[in-house]
Amino acid sequence: MMKSNLAVFFITCFFCCVFVTSDSVYTLPFPFPRDQVEILLELKNEFPSFNCDLTWKLDYFGRMDTRANISSWTKDSDSFSGVSFDSETGVVKELSLGRQCLTSLKANSSLFRFQHLRYLDLSENHFESSPIPSGFDRLTYLESLDLSKNGFIGEVPSSIGNLSRLTNLDLSYNKLTGGIPNLHNLTLLENIDLSYNKFSGAIPSYLFTMPFLVSLNLRQNHLSDPLENINYSATSKLLILDMAYNLMSHRILEPISKLANLIQLVLSFQKTPYTFNFDFLLFKSLVRLDLSGNSVSVVGTGSENLTHLDLSSCNITEFPMFIKDLQRLWWLDISNNRIKGKVPELLWTLPSMLHVNLSRNSFDSLEGTPKIILNSSISELDLSSNAFKGSFPIIPPYVNIMAASNNYFTGGIPLIFCKRYRLNLLDLSNNNFSGSIPRCLTNVSLGLEALKLSNNSLTGRLPDIEDRLVLLDVGHNQISGKLPRSLVNCTTLKFLNVEGNHINDTFPFWLKALTRLEIIVLRSNRFHGPISSPEISLSFTALRIIDISRNSFNGSLPQDYFANWSAPLVNTPQGYRWPEYTGDEHSKYETPLWSYPSIHLRIKGRSIELGKIPDTYTSIDFSGNSFEGQVPESIGDLKSLIVLDLSNNSFTGRIPSSLAKLKQLESLDLSQNRISGNIPQELRELTFLGYVNMSHNRLTGQIPQSTQIGGQPKSSFEGNINLCGLPLQESCLKGNGVPSTPQTQEQELPKQEHALNWKAAAIGYGPGVLFGLGIGRAFARYKPVLFYKLFRL
């Protein structure tokens, strides 16, 4: 008890000293209520940090700051406003403990003793696989509760329904189940977010009639239409309604059409076979409408206030001509439909239009003259994956994003691109463009950040590259010459792909100066020479994928070759292997693929195109070259490596045992080399290893026995000297029935060879003697003089 009193006295004195010595004058209620300080001390001890070093201090404005040093995420400290006190009574009124790595919250937590708490934020912590505790009903003054992104499971406790003063409730991004919690008595609610959970059943009808509700988000659950009739209030304040990715039917449109003030409606991707017959006459206040991913039939001319219309993936076969009257429309997405023919001229005359996505249809031309869109206000235009052919149209001067991949455009790359005010992204990949790349495209004045020209018929050399470029993809063309050394000036470059060309150069050691470079693909060119140098220490700051396969690189790799490679390859991922996917299952339709780099990588023995490369994906592919010597032991330093391919080279020596340190490894290919010795038994500890190929080497001994390795096909180990064990049929048992180890097999090999030599001698001895006697008899009988001269007999 005395220790507790001393602690309270010390903290109070500390707070006084802080405010007396500070330059800012701020009067706080003193003394602080003793119970509030004691609860804070208990709370600090109750929440031991998870990879966090939590310290608490009071700042000049009477707030308790929580500073977290999260060693596994960043070296810097993140500061958050933690505690706020009431200026009159001194009680704690606000707790913001989001992203503090908290792992446990119990019903008897001291947190629930803050009975005057009004705002509580516990978002983005680590309460995975734990239910929401039932103690929240004790916080009767609570007005805002945020429990989002925590991994809570189970049903929402009924005690939440007793927080009658609540105006904001956020339970999104958890794994909550059951029906929607009973919120009928929370009549003051203004914002409800239950998105990205596993709620099921019918939506309670009262949610649409709550008197102060402004925003309701039920996205990505398993919810169906309300069962009861909805008695709408004429004074309903609901403005934003998001019910995407649920089980709504077309019948939902009739009741929600009575929400007279609704300005944003999202009903995308409902799992229903019904067609949504949408009548704009019933939704006159709408500003944003998203019906994507449903079968849709549109009636009416649309709301004059509509600015955002998403009809992507709606099985539409005709262009929505009703948009001609939408003078405020600035965002239109009709991608991934079945619309054919010409793009109507009316689209380019809409005065407010900025963003147009026509991708993944069957458009083949633009209505009107080639200059029809020149005077349009459009700044983002996506024509990709259609049937456009011929010369490229003249685009407006203010276009900053232009995507036209996967079409049949021909001719040279238009110089009109160089006359844009600013062009951030240009994607002309997978067309039939020819000629050289215009020098002006890489001028810094144009501001180009992403240039994608892969899979065309472009020739000549790569032009000099100036600063600002983040992504450069010119793969699968006919580009020759050398890599421009000016690339070293692109300090923002993250992605470089020149695969499938005729570039004749040595290894670009100078790329190591690009501290943001993550992906290098030099595959299938005419690069040659060594990739190591005694004078150059090869180290990349951010590299996570390198593919230099199918070139003519040669030489050996020093044992410490990988010792100084990048942090994304060396550092072990913390807490997860792949970023957990929390988005919509169809979000690929919402974010265009031209936003991401895409490459072909050889994974598990097959060439696979990755349209969107995960941020944690790591790969090294040195296959198809002429490397020799031993595989460097330092390969074990790359603890985050997922794919390693050293096949089709001339590596010798043994397989380094350090490979067992690559706990994240999924694919390992060492085939078609000259590697000898035993396979390290430690490799059986690689639990993620899904593909192994060590065929056509000089390996001996027992194959490591594990589920991952034993489940490989026999072809993964064929073509070696003396391997045994699964998946091969050769048994590792000796003649006496005792299983042999790799060590005993090595010891027995010389003995077996010795025995084999004696057998051969014994077999040849008898016939040799008889053959010699026969020859001697013949010489003695028919050539006695010659016989005498040879043998002196």
Side-chain angles (χ1 to χ4, degrees):
M1 185 66 181
M2 182 174 294
K3 290 183 179 180
S4 176
N5 292 337
L6 287 174
V8 173
F9 176 76
F10 174 78
I11 290 178
T12 304
C13 291
F14 172 73
F15 290 164
C16 294
C17 293
V18 167
F19 286 95
V20 169
T21 58
S22 68
D23 294 332
S24 302
V25 178
Y26 183 82
T27 303
L28 288 177
F30 287 104
F32 283 116
R34 177 173 176 173
D35 63 322
Q36 301 293 290
V37 178
E38 289 181 343
I39 297 173
L40 285 174
L41 287 172
E42 291 180 13
L43 192 62
K44 179 181 181 294
N45 295 326
E46 183 181 323
F47 286 151
S49 60
F50 176 78
N51 284 335
C52 296
D53 180 20
L54 296 181
T55 59
W56 302 67
K57 74 180 185 66
L58 196 71
D59 68 10
Y60 294 160
F61 300 99
R63 291 175 177 271
M64 186 79 76
D65 277 346
T66 307
R67 300 187 181 274
N69 181 14
I70 308 175
S71 57
S72 63
W73 294 354
T74 176
K75 295 181 180 179
D76 299 323
S77 294
D78 293 326
S79 298
F80 305 94
S81 295
V83 180
S84 178
F85 296 91
D86 188 272
S87 59
E88 297 180 359
T89 63
V91 297
V92 174
K93 68 175 182 179
E94 179 178 350
L95 274 177
S96 296
L97 301 179
R99 299 183 64 185
Q100 296 305 303
C101 310
L102 309 179
T103 59
S104 176
L105 183 62
K106 300 179 181 179
N108 61 351
S109 170
S110 55
L111 171 69
F112 301 123
R113 293 173 57 193
F114 290 114
Q115 297 182 3
H116 297 279
L117 196 64
R118 294 167 58 188
Y119 306 98
L120 177 59
D121 181 2
L122 291 173
S123 62
E124 298 186 63
N125 281 290
H126 297 272
F127 300 125
E128 285 87 355
S129 303
S130 299
I132 297 177
S134 58
F136 284 100
D137 57 342
R138 297 164 61 185
L139 307 177
T140 55
Y141 286 87
L142 205 60
E143 297 177 17
S144 178
L145 176 61
D146 188 348
L147 301 179
S148 63
K149 300 179 182 178
N150 277 305
F152 282 121
I153 62 172
E155 297 188 5
V156 179
S158 58
S159 57
I160 296 290
N162 297 327
L163 303 176
S164 59
R165 302 192 183 194
L166 209 60
T167 61
N168 180 74
L169 176 62
D170 191 345
L171 303 179
S172 62
Y173 290 96
N174 284 289
K175 300 175 183 178
L176 300 171
T177 56
I180 287 181
N182 187 0
L183 308 176
H184 190 271
N185 295 327
L186 308 186
T187 57
L188 299 180
L189 275 173
E190 299 175 3
N191 300 286
I192 301 176
D193 192 344
L194 306 179
S195 61
Y196 299 99
N197 278 286
K198 299 180 180 180
F199 291 118
S200 58
I203 299 176
S205 59
Y206 67 81
L207 286 179
F208 299 100
T209 60
M210 302 185 84
F212 297 102
L213 193 62
V214 174
S215 175
L216 175 60
N217 192 346
L218 304 176
R219 190 183 188 91
Q220 191 97 1
N221 281 284
H222 306 292
L223 300 169
S224 56
D225 301 341
L227 298 178
E228 316 91 354
N229 293 325
I230 303 175
N231 298 318
Y232 289 95
S233 170
T235 60
S236 172
K237 295 183 178 180
L238 192 62
L239 299 177
I240 300 172
L241 178 58
D242 190 339
M243 298 191 292
Y245 301 92
N246 278 287
L247 306 174
M248 307 296 168
S249 75
H250 61 296
R251 293 186 296 271
I252 192 64
L253 290 175
E254 191 276 330
I256 63 177
S257 66
K258 298 176 182 178
L259 299 171
N261 295 317
L262 201 63
I263 62 172
Q264 179 172 315
L265 175 60
V266 183
L267 286 173
S268 55
F269 290 96
Q270 302 299 324
K271 298 178 181 178
T272 176
Y274 301 104
T275 298
F276 284 77
N277 297 309
F278 193 84
D279 189 349
F280 272 109
L281 296 177
L282 302 176
F283 296 88
K284 296 181 180 180
S285 300
L286 279 183
V287 173
R288 180 189 176 190
L289 174 63
D290 185 351
L291 297 175
S292 59
N294 299 302
S295 181
V296 172
S297 173
V298 178
V299 180
T301 59
S303 167
E304 62 180 10
N305 298 316
L306 201 64
T307 63
H308 185 291
L309 178 61
D310 192 339
L311 297 177
S312 61
S313 306
C314 286
N315 203 29
I316 296 174
T317 57
E318 294 183 357
F319 191 90
M321 300 299 289
F322 65 85
I323 68 169
K324 67 180 184 297
D325 299 319
L326 305 180
Q327 298 300 299
R328 298 182 182 179
L329 189 67
W330 65 267
W331 202 99
L332 175 66
D333 189 346
I334 54 173
S335 62
N336 200 45
N337 282 292
R338 297 187 295 129
I339 309 174
K340 299 179 180 180
K342 297 183 177 182
V343 180
E345 184 176 350
L346 65 91
L347 177 61
W348 320 116
T349 62
L350 294 175
S352 304
M353 188 61 71
L354 296 175
H355 173 101
V356 175
N357 189 348
L358 306 178
S359 65
R360 287 167 288 166
N361 280 285
S362 298
F363 291 115
D364 56 23
S365 59
L366 305 181
E367 189 177 72
T369 65
K371 297 183 179 180
I372 187 62
I373 65 174
L374 183 59
N375 297 321
S376 172
S377 59
I378 291 175
S379 62
E380 299 179 8
L381 178 59
D382 191 349
L383 303 177
S384 58
S385 300
N386 276 284
F388 291 107
K389 53 185 178 293
S391 300
F392 201 83
I394 302 174
I395 62 174
Y398 292 99
V399 165
N400 56 56
I401 292 179
M402 181 71 242
S405 62
N406 294 288
N407 281 287
Y408 304 97
F409 289 115
T410 56
I413 296 177
L415 294 178
I416 192 69
F417 287 121
C418 303
K419 299 180 181 180
R420 303 304 90 191
Y421 175 73
R422 180 170 295 278
L423 188 63
N424 293 331
L425 178 142
L426 178 61
D427 185 358
L428 301 179
S429 57
N430 294 286
N431 278 283
N432 296 318
F433 288 109
S434 57
S436 60
I437 300 174
R439 171 71 179 83
C440 58
L441 280 183
T442 56
N443 285 343
V444 68
S445 59
L446 189 61
L448 198 62
E449 296 180 4
L451 179 60
K452 303 179 71 172
L453 301 176
S454 62
N455 292 286
N456 281 285
S457 299
L458 300 173
T459 57
R461 293 171 173 262
L462 273 177
D464 284 336
I465 313 292
E466 298 186 11
D467 201 1
R468 286 187 62 86
L469 205 61
V470 176
L471 183 153
L472 176 61
D473 186 355
V474 294
H476 297 288
N477 281 284
Q478 300 171 28
I479 297 171
S480 57
K482 295 185 176 182
L483 277 182
R485 296 315 191 253
S486 56
L487 272 172
V488 77
N489 298 321
C490 295
T491 56
T492 56
L493 191 66
K494 292 185 177 182
F495 178 92
L496 174 63
N497 184 7
V498 297
E499 71 169 307
N501 282 286
H502 307 311
I503 298 175
N504 191 340
D505 203 349
T506 56
F507 185 79
F509 292 100
W510 39 272
L511 286 178
K512 71 174 188 175
L514 303 180
T515 57
R516 299 185 183 182
L517 190 59
E518 298 180 12
I519 300 172
I520 303 175
V521 183
L522 309 180
R523 178 182 182 179
S524 298
N525 276 282
R526 298 174 183 174
F527 287 97
H528 56 273
I531 65 171
S532 64
S533 171
E535 295 82 19
I536 302 176
S537 175
L538 191 61
S539 60
F540 296 96
T541 305
L543 190 69
R544 57 190 179 91
I545 295 176
I546 181 170
D547 185 348
I548 59 173
S549 62
R550 300 184 185 181
N551 280 286
S552 298
F553 291 117
N554 56 29
S556 59
L557 305 181
Q559 287 301 299
D560 61 349
Y561 184 73
F562 299 104
N564 297 315
W565 278 44
S566 65
L569 286 167
V570 173
N571 294 338
T572 304
Q574 297 294 324
Y576 64 92
R577 290 179 37 75
W578 294 82
E580 184 177 356
Y581 183 67
T582 56
D584 307 332
E585 67 177 293
H586 298 284
S587 64
K588 60 183 179 180
Y589 296 123
E590 299 179 4
T591 306
L593 287 179
W594 46 253
S595 302
Y596 308 103
S598 61
I599 55 174
H600 284 83
L601 292 178
R602 186 169 176 79
I603 305 172
K604 299 183 179 180
R606 297 181 299 158
S607 182
I608 299 176
E609 181 179 10
L610 293 180
K612 181 183 177 183
I613 307 171
D615 292 337
T616 56
Y617 190 82
T618 54
S619 172
I620 292 179
D621 191 346
F622 286 3
S623 64
N625 285 284
S626 300
F627 295 118
E628 56 189 15
Q630 192 164 352
V631 177
E633 191 74 25
S634 58
I635 191 69
D637 294 343
L638 309 181
K639 298 182 180 62
S640 294
L641 193 60
I642 293 176
V643 175
L644 176 61
D645 192 344
L646 303 178
S647 64
N648 290 280
N649 281 286
S650 298
F651 284 113
T652 56
R654 296 174 177 271
I655 298 175
S657 58
S658 62
L659 281 176
K661 299 178 182 179
L662 307 183
K663 302 300 184 181
Q664 310 298 314
L665 199 64
E666 293 183 6
S667 178
L668 174 62
D669 195 340
L670 302 177
S671 63
Q672 301 287 345
N673 280 285
R674 301 174 184 175
I675 302 173
S676 58
N678 299 313
I679 302 174
Q681 294 297 307
E682 297 89 341
L683 295 188
R684 62 173 176 261
E685 300 173 4
L686 301 180
T687 55
F688 289 115
L689 199 58
Y691 175 82
V692 182
N693 192 348
M694 298 184 181
S695 62
H696 301 286
N697 279 285
R698 300 174 179 179
L699 298 170
T700 60
Q702 185 178 14
I703 298 172
Q705 298 300 293
S706 68
T707 304
Q708 287 73 24
I709 297 177
Q712 302 295 317
K714 292 188 294 184
S715 59
S716 294
F717 297 94
E718 66 184 8
N720 283 286
I721 293 178
N722 189 23
L723 282 179
C724 63
L726 294 176
L728 298 179
Q729 295 180 348
E730 287 78 4
S731 173
C732 294
L733 294 177
K734 297 191 293 186
N736 57 4
V738 179
S740 63
T741 65
Q743 291 76 14
T744 59
Q745 288 185 353
E746 280 192 338
Q747 294 171 0
E748 291 174 1
L749 189 58
K751 296 180 181 179
Q752 292 174 357
E753 292 178 351
H754 184 68
L756 184 63
N757 291 338
W758 276 106
K759 289 180 181 179
I763 292 173
Y765 178 77
V769 170
L770 294 175
F771 183 74
L773 290 174
I775 293 296
R777 182 178 178 83
F779 266 93
R781 182 173 182 179
Y782 298 106
K783 300 287 184 179
V785 177
L786 179 61
F787 184 80
Y788 175 78
K789 289 181 178 180
L790 289 173
F791 299 102
R792 295 291 188 269
L793 296 174

